[in-house]
Every structure is written in structure tokens, then in C-alpha cells.
């Protein structure tokens, strides 16, 4: 590693011109609201494309939540995608990332009576086994969920 | 010239916890990339320490900085990237030309920036802040888009070219993203290669995806299609890439299938 990688930056190396950040912030917020919070599509955009993007964002969230909470996938079976869609449509990903998203989804399922009320246990190996996870994987050879 | 830090990386694969042992065992893995948000620099996964001890370069690849956002990049996120680079003794750090949050909302994915002069001035200022906070060079990746902004004044290649000129940032060219934009937005991938300043290429991404109702989804969960490898060959005809890395993020196939995939990547690179 070296600390001398930074090149001499050309003229105008300061911050963006006044107003540029504010204008970009406004445009990006309106667009993102349309994509994740049920807002209206901003003028000029291809609405069909924005719908595809919005669905793709939900699909990405769903995949991550499925990895964090395989127990919910097992519990809901074929209903998982539909239930997640109903939860996520118009509701932005909460602060706290995918774990918070999974928690909010589980809370919604619980309040709808689709989850048992008691707190669920973490998926995977018991906590005491985790330091040995690598050994278990090395011994077992097969490490992938599929194929 | 070669982008400082990238040197000659070779052929690599994205390191993921689910395939850690596979990546260690696969023959012909010259370098790897780790999603920076998924590691703690003070407590690196053992597999990455094994790879580093073997001399395999590990590049922290950020997905959450949002250097294309309206806000200056978060100092805490930059400090994390810098700490990852130091802990891994990484030759460079990579991120995306994208925004990922706005108005207090998280997108959860990489969204395209409006390619206007005004937005360019903001992104360039963000890149300079990021560069000042990092101990190694930064490279930015072109993204796969499903839509364009109505006010776009430049192609992504032109926008990245201007950004390189203004900031000296390196390029991470994702040929699967070029393919995605060709299928979904009708933007020629070879046209993009013609427009990108490939002399500033740090390395290349290649990945597979799925077609759904005529839209290509860059899922990183499938065999790399021949069309994407063709774009890689086109790139290699223009420049000798310092590195080419396969991204595979879920639905992991057998070790043999991943090894074969790396072989297809090498084949496409040698087809020139």
C-alpha cells in the first residue's frame, strides 16, 4: 500500500457548485419515493421501467430476507414471495439493513397471526458450535446449499 | 498505463462466506474481492486470512457508499473502507457509480445517477472526498440500469470519462452490466467500450443473470452467457485488463462448475 496515490486534482477541486447538491437531492428523493414508497413517478420517466425497477428492488430485498430468515421461507412455503411483496410494496427498507427488514416482516406476519408469538431462535448451528463451524465444513466437504 | 495499485491481478472470483472453502480450493484463483460491508476489519474471516497468507490479493468492494448520491459520502463508511483496505493490505478499493439512498430512504440497490453536468460536479466532489479518506486508489464500477433519467446529457461512458479526468479515479468495468444495459436500454456495449477511458482500467467484472419477460436481470446467480463473454473478448481486444473477476452471489453451483466458469472467462480473454 502507498499513501502517495492521490493525484494532483485539476482546478475546481473544491465542493460542487452552490445549489447542485440540493437539486440532485430533490430529484433523487422524488425518484426513490416513486420506487420504494409508493410515490408518483416524476415527469419524464418511463413509468413501465420504474415499475420493473421497483419490483426488482423488492425482489432483491426478498432474497436477502430469505437468507437471513430461512425459517420464514420454510414456514410460508409458496406464500413467501406474495407475503413479502404485500409487506414491502410502498414501504422503504428500514434503517438497520436486511436484519431490520426481516424483523419488520416477521412482526407483520406475527400481528397477522401467521407466526407463533414466541421469539424464534436463530437459524443454523447452535451458538456453542459456531467456533467449530469451519471444522465442521472442512469435515463435511459439501458446503453449498444447492448443487 | 496501469491504474496505480491494480498491477497485474489475473483472474479472480468474488469471495463469499457461503463458498469460502471452495474459493480457497479452486485452482487458478489469482485474486478475490470481498463485499466490504460484510466484513469487520478487526476480525477478518479466517478464510480471507488464509488467502492473504498465500499472497492472494483481496479487494474490498463497497456497495453502500453511494458516491453518486447528493450527500457527501459518509465519513464512517469511508473509514470502514479504509480500515478494510489496511487490514487486507489491499492494492485498491472499488465502489459503484450509483446512488443508494435519498430523502432518508434506502434503495437497497445501486441506482443510476442523472448524467448531467450539474450531477457530475457533485459526484466528482464526492469522489475526491472518498479518495482523500482512502489509503489506496479507488476504482468505480459502471452499473446495470433498468431505466434512464429524462435529463441525461451524456452516456455512462462519457460521464465516467469526465469523472476519470476530473478526479483520477480508476475504472472497474462490469461487462455483464454493459450487456444488461444493451438488452434493457438498447445501449450498445461495444459503443460503451469505445467511449470508456480503458487506459484507466483497474479490473473487470463478469457475471451471469436471467432474462424475465425480455428484461435482463443481472442476478450473479447463473452461468455467464456467451454474449457477456463476447463483450469481455471485445474489451480484451482493446486493452489487456489488469484483472477479471467472476461474481457469483447465490444459488452456488458445484466447485467443478465454478472452475469451469473461470476457464470460460480465461478462454474469452484469450480469444483476442
Amino acid at each position: 500500500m502507498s499513501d502517495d496515490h492521490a493525484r494532483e486534482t485539476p482546478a475546481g477541486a473544491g465542493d460542487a457548485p452552490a445549489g447542485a447538491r440540493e437539486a440532485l437531492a430533490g430529484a433523487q428523493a422524488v425518484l426513490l419515493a416513486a420506487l420504494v414508497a409508493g410515490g408518483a413517478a416524476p415527469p419524464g420517466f418511463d413509468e413501465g421501467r420504474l415499475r420493473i425497477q421497483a419490483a426488482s428492488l423488492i425482489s432483491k430485498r426478498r432474497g436477502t430476507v430469505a437468507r437471513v430468515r430461512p425459517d420464514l421461507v420454510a414456514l410460508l412455503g409458496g406464500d413467501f414471495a406474495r407475503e413479502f411483496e404485500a409487506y414491502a410494496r410502498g414501504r422503504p427498507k428500514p434503517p438497520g439493513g436486511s436484519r431490520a427488514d426481516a424483523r419488520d416482516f416477521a412482526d407483520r406476519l406475527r400481528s397477522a397471526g401467521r407466526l407463533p408469538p414466541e421469539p424464534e431462535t436463530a437459524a443454523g448451528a447452535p451458538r456453542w458450535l459456531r467456533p467449530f463451524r469451519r471444522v465442521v465444513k472442512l469435515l463435511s466437504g459439501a458446503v453449498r446449499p444447492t448443487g | 498505463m496501469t491504474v496505480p495499485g491494480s498491477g497485474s491481478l489475473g483472474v479472480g472470483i468474488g469471495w463469499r462466506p457461503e463458498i469460502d472453502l471452495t474459493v480457497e480450493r479452486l485452482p487458478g484463483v489469482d485474486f478475490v474481492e470481498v463485499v466490504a460491508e460484510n466484513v469487520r476489519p478487526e476480525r477478518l474471516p479466517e478464510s480471507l486470512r488464509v488467502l492473504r497468507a498465500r499472497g492472494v490479493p483481496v479487494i474490498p468492494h463497497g456497495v453502500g457508499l453511494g458516491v453518486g448520491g447528493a450527500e457527501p459520502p459518509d465519513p464512517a463508511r469511508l473509514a470502514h473502507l479504509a480500515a478494510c483496505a489496511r487490514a487486507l493490505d489491499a492494492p485498491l478499493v472499488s465502489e459503484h457509480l450509483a446512488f443508494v439512498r435519498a430523502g432518508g430512504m434506502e434503495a437497497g440497490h445501486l441506482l443510476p445517477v442523472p448524467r448531467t453536468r450539474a450531477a457530475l460536479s457533485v459526484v466528482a466532489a464526492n469522489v475526491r472526498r472518498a479518495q482523500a479518506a482512502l489509503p489506496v486508489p479507488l476504482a468505480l464500477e459502471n452499473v446495470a440500469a433498468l431505466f434512464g433519467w429524462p435529463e441525461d446529457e451524456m452516456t455512462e461512458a462519457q460521464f465516467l470519462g469526465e469523472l476519470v479526468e476530473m478526479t483520477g479515479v480508476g475504472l472497474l468495468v462490469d461487462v455483464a452490466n454493459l450487456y444488461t444495459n444493451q438488452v434493457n436500454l438498447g445501449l450498445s456495449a461495444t459503443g460503451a467500450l469505445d467511449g470508456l477511458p480503458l487506459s484507466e482500467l483497474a479490473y473487470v467484472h463478469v457475471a451471469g443473470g436471467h432474462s424475465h419477460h425480455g428484461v435482463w436481470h443481472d442476478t450473479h446467480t447463473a452461468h455467464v452467457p456467451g454474449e457477456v463473454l463476447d463483450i469481455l473478448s471485445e474489451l480484451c481486444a482493446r486493452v489487456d485488463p489488469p484483472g477479471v473477476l467472476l461474481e457469483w452471489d447465490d444459488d452456488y453451483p458445484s466447485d467443478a462448475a465454478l472452475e469451469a466458469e473461470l476457464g470460460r472467462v480465461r478462454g474469452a480473454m484469450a480469444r483476442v
Side-chain angles (χ1 to χ4, degrees), chain B residues 92-155:
Chain B
L92 76 159
V93 165
S94 57
E95 248 288 351
H96 301 83
L97 173 60
F99 81 101
V100 296
R101 62 186 65 83
M105 293 167 286
E106 294 285 329
H109 195 52
L110 308 155
L111 296 173
V113 175
R115 293 188 298 266
T116 63
R117 290 271 150 204
L120 178 64
S121 69
V122 173
V123 180
N126 289 349
V127 168
R128 288 189 195 105
R129 289 195 192 214
Q131 288 170 317
L134 294 172
V136 291
L138 172 69
L140 286 185
E141 176 179 349
N142 58 303
V143 298
L146 290 168
F147 66 89
W149 287 74
E151 53 267 58
D152 282 346
E153 298 163 2
M154 290 172 257
T155 65

Side-chain angles (χ1 to χ4, degrees), chain A residues 1-17 19-37 42-46 49-50 52-61 63-64 67 92-97 131 133-134 136-147, chain B residues 1 3-4 17-22 24-25 46-47 50 68-72 85-86 89-90 99-103 105-114 118-119 121-123 125-126 128-129 131 134-138 145-151 165-168 183-185 200 215 217 249-255:
Chain A
M1 288 199 312
S2 67
D3 285 324
D4 59 355
H5 70 279
R7 301 179 189 193
E8 288 300 315
T9 44
D15 199 16
R21 284 195 185 275
E22 291 74 9
L24 185 61
Q28 290 182 339
V30 169
L31 174 64
L32 193 51
L35 291 173
V36 302
F45 282 87
D46 180 331
R49 288 282 164 183
L50 295 190
I52 293 170
Q53 179 70 72
S56 168
L57 292 176
I58 288 180
S59 168
K60 174 139 183 149
R61 279 169 69 181
T64 315
R67 274 199 292 282
K93 195 170 175 174
R133 185 191 74 103
R134 184 178 166 84
V136 172
K137 283 174 87 170
L138 275 165
L139 291 174
S140 69
V143 297
R144 272 167 314 283
T146 56
Chain B
M1 67 167 275
V3 173
E18 296 89 341
I19 52 168
D20 53 358
L21 295 172
T22 296
E24 285 175 44
R25 290 168 177 158
E46 186 177 352
S47 176
V50 166
E71 300 290 323
R86 289 194 185 93
D89 195 20
F99 81 101
V100 296
R101 62 186 65 83
M105 293 167 286
E106 294 285 329
H109 195 52
L110 308 155
L111 296 173
V113 175
S121 69
V122 173
V123 180
N126 289 349
R128 288 189 195 105
R129 289 195 192 214
Q131 288 170 317
L134 294 172
V136 291
L138 172 69
L146 290 168
F147 66 89
W149 287 74
E151 53 267 58
E165 201 165 300
M166 292 168 79
T167 66
V183 173
N184 295 345
L185 300 172
E200 304 307 313
V215 173
H217 292 267
D249 288 347
D250 205 354
D251 293 340
Y252 299 102
S254 68
D255 292 13

